[in-house]
Amino acid sequence: MTINKEAFVDLQEKYQKVVKLLLEDSKTDPENEPYLSKYSARQILIGMKANIENLLRNHTSEDKENLKLTAMYGTVYMYLGLVAIDTEELSTGEKHLTKCKEIVEKYVDYPEMVIIALNMYNQFGILWSQNEPEKSKTYLETAQQLYANYKKTGKAPIDISELFEPNIETFNESIALKNFERIHTLTLYYLAQIFSKLNEDFKSAVYCHITLQRQLEMEDYDPIDWALNSATLSQFFMEKCGFKQARHHLAASSFILNKYKVEQLDTQNEQTEAFESKMETFKHRSADVARCWVKYGIFLLGKSKERLLAHTENIDEHCSMVSDLSLMKISEDTNVTVEDLQNLSFRGIDVSQYENEITDQFILQLSDAKKVFLKTVAYIKAAHDYYTLDSLASDYIEIVLDHSHLYLNLLFFEDDQDNQTKLHKRRIDLLEQVLNSVNSQYYMNYCRQIWYELGQCYSDIIDIKSEKLRESKERPKPQVLAKINLLVEKCINHYKSFLTSFKVNIEEREKVLDDVEKPFLQAYFHVAALFGRYITLDKNYQLRNVEQQYEHYKFIVDYCDKHTKAQELIPMELIICKEMVVLLPVKISRLKDPVH
């Protein structure tokens, strides 16, 4: 029996309502009813299911019309599964998808069914992604294989939307092919997430790159999201010392952002609310990409420093570290091939302009380190154009801390002591400016980090000044000694600010939280040592300083006796503390009674 056209028209109208509810209306659902549109779509789908079941009962012949109805039936169950998963009804979602699978599995290589099947396998992948990632991977890899097999047939698929057209003979091949490729891109994207959950990080990164490449080729991407995803991926490559790949993905991010600005923002003449919103998003995400460039510069200098420290002689002969992942020795557990790592650059865009601005090679000397430093500082300024102290204080502080670490990494390449001191002072200026500008109660975690870093800065300057003093053959001038004492005092004050922020009962040796216990004890150790660095001939001052040393060393020993696990955190420092607790009382006794 031939089905009348009105039945298909009715199903088409209902399908279009479902798509509108899921893709458009759901974005504006009220906060107190976040699934309003999805529940409405579900009701329409349930009605469609009943209509199609009725049509199938009255149409038993195996013809094109029956295949079309079966495909529509599978589509309804696929959408019911999707809605159930989106509304967190996972067991219901599984039932609907399983029913969809039963309907379509023997027809998966038919043009009418292949896109439904790919969507279904993707939804299964999403369904199991949280609790059973291995199961999720199996479904997604099935989708991947189905795509590859169907692609080999050379047949054009039929898009789901056109299944609901009353006249299927007039389907649009280009739309179907585009959606077919888009769904496969989603499969690859979901696989990237699953590989990450399964701790197959390299494979996840490779799939992320392939996803981004496909989006570029299909011109099917949001420029802001694409740039952010590419920049995020760069951070993984960077942490694996793949500076060539990290720089390339950051350069691609900057390229896409600039292209978006030129083509879509600079051409706008009217300052509408929509345009202002786009411009705000662009500035925000451009600042985020700049921050990723900052991390790149810091990490490149830091890894170059580690490499030089590990290989003091004949570094080119003995060092196996490489800055290009395609030259890396691959361990078996990475689950990627050399070919995978050789194909981590984007085709179709030229990003050399951005790549040429900063090296991807390990740094060997100060002149090259300065180039990386200056370019990274430019990115810090770009990030601070958006993240200001007044509007986004936490981000602003984090960027300042990055700036401080950048100085610290540059310091390694600087041999001149006077220049080292200048760099430390610039770090100090940056960090103290933050302390003077924020309320430590609101930004306590950041302030603690800054107090600790400032203690380290001042301590390093004291080391430099003291070394110059030892090397000098001249009698030290009083102002030089006074300067060192002032530095010691500032250093102690910053460490003490760090220590007192924990509000620990010192007399009771009260336990500090585990995550801050080690830096807490180390700061105590630094303060103890610093009291011994004051330069004075006054016996009373000397006595006061030695007594302070003793109290701080004894606190650490007593604390570790009371909280024995803390001994594992500072084994070397604890040995020194125990020695000093024995030696210092003798020194105190002599200072009190110099005759004996």
Side-chain angles (χ1 to χ4, degrees), residues 188-202:
L188 298 174
Y189 172 75
Y190 297 144
L191 274 168
Q193 315 311 308
I194 291 301
F195 286 128
S196 179
K197 282 184 180 293
L198 294 170
N199 296 318
E200 296 184 44
D201 293 337
F202 261 109

Side-chain angles (χ1 to χ4, degrees), residues 186-395:
L186 283 172
T187 302
L188 298 174
Y189 172 75
Y190 297 144
L191 274 168
Q193 315 311 308
I194 291 301
F195 286 128
S196 179
K197 282 184 180 293
L198 294 170
N199 296 318
E200 296 184 44
D201 293 337
F202 261 109
K203 198 156 189 178
S204 174
V206 167
Y207 270 74
C208 283
H209 172 81
I210 294 169
T211 301
L212 292 169
Q213 177 64 58
R214 284 179 60 81
Q215 289 175 335
L216 275 180
E217 289 171 351
M218 295 169 64
E219 297 184 350
D220 181 25
Y221 62 92
D222 175 274
I224 300 294
D225 287 345
W226 193 98
L228 207 57
N229 289 333
S230 185
T232 302
L233 184 54
S234 77
Q235 305 298 279
F236 170 79
F237 293 134
M238 174 190 81
E239 288 168 6
K240 300 297 180 183
C241 282
F243 291 106
K244 178 179 179 180
Q245 288 75 19
R247 183 184 68 168
H248 180 77
H249 283 72
L250 281 169
S253 298
S254 295
F255 173 90
I256 291 295
L257 282 174
N258 188 58
K259 184 171 181 277
Y260 171 71
K261 180 177 181 292
V262 170
E263 293 179 0
Q264 298 191 42
L265 297 179
D266 291 350
T267 55
Q268 293 252 5
N269 295 321
E270 294 183 27
Q271 302 296 306
T272 62
E273 190 174 324
F275 172 76
E276 292 297 330
S277 176
K278 284 182 180 180
M279 184 58 79
E280 165 67 17
T281 302
F282 170 76
K283 289 177 179 177
H284 184 183
R285 296 314 178 190
S286 294
D288 288 340
V289 171
R291 291 179 74 176
C292 289
W293 275 112
V294 171
K295 296 291 185 186
Y296 174 89
I298 293 169
F299 217 80
L300 179 58
L301 290 177
K303 281 295 175 183
S304 299
K305 170 183 169 182
E306 284 180 26
R307 182 171 174 267
L308 288 166
L309 285 171
H311 303 85
T312 53
E313 293 182 8
N314 300 323
I315 191 165
D316 292 329
E317 291 179 33
H318 299 142
C319 182
S320 60
M321 283 178 71
V322 292
S323 61
D324 179 354
L325 291 178
S326 67
L327 303 175
M328 183 184 73
K329 289 182 180 177
I330 304 170
S331 59
E332 291 181 7
D333 60 353
T334 56
N335 291 324
V336 294
T337 65
V338 172
E339 188 180 3
D340 288 333
L341 299 179
Q342 287 172 341
N343 291 320
L344 289 174
S345 58
F346 293 113
R347 301 179 300 277
I349 55 173
D350 180 6
V351 300
S352 57
Q353 173 190 344
Y354 299 95
E355 288 181 320
N356 293 338
E357 291 179 354
I358 191 167
T359 186
D360 63 351
Q361 301 297 306
F362 288 116
I363 305 302
L364 294 171
Q365 56 193 17
L366 179 61
S367 58
D368 292 329
K370 281 182 176 177
K371 290 175 185 175
V372 172
F373 174 85
L374 291 171
K375 187 60 192 174
T376 307
V377 168
Y379 283 117
I380 287 171
K381 288 177 180 174
H384 268 157
D385 284 344
Y386 183 82
Y387 289 109
T388 66
L389 190 58
D390 293 334
S391 60
L392 296 153
S394 294
D395 293 282

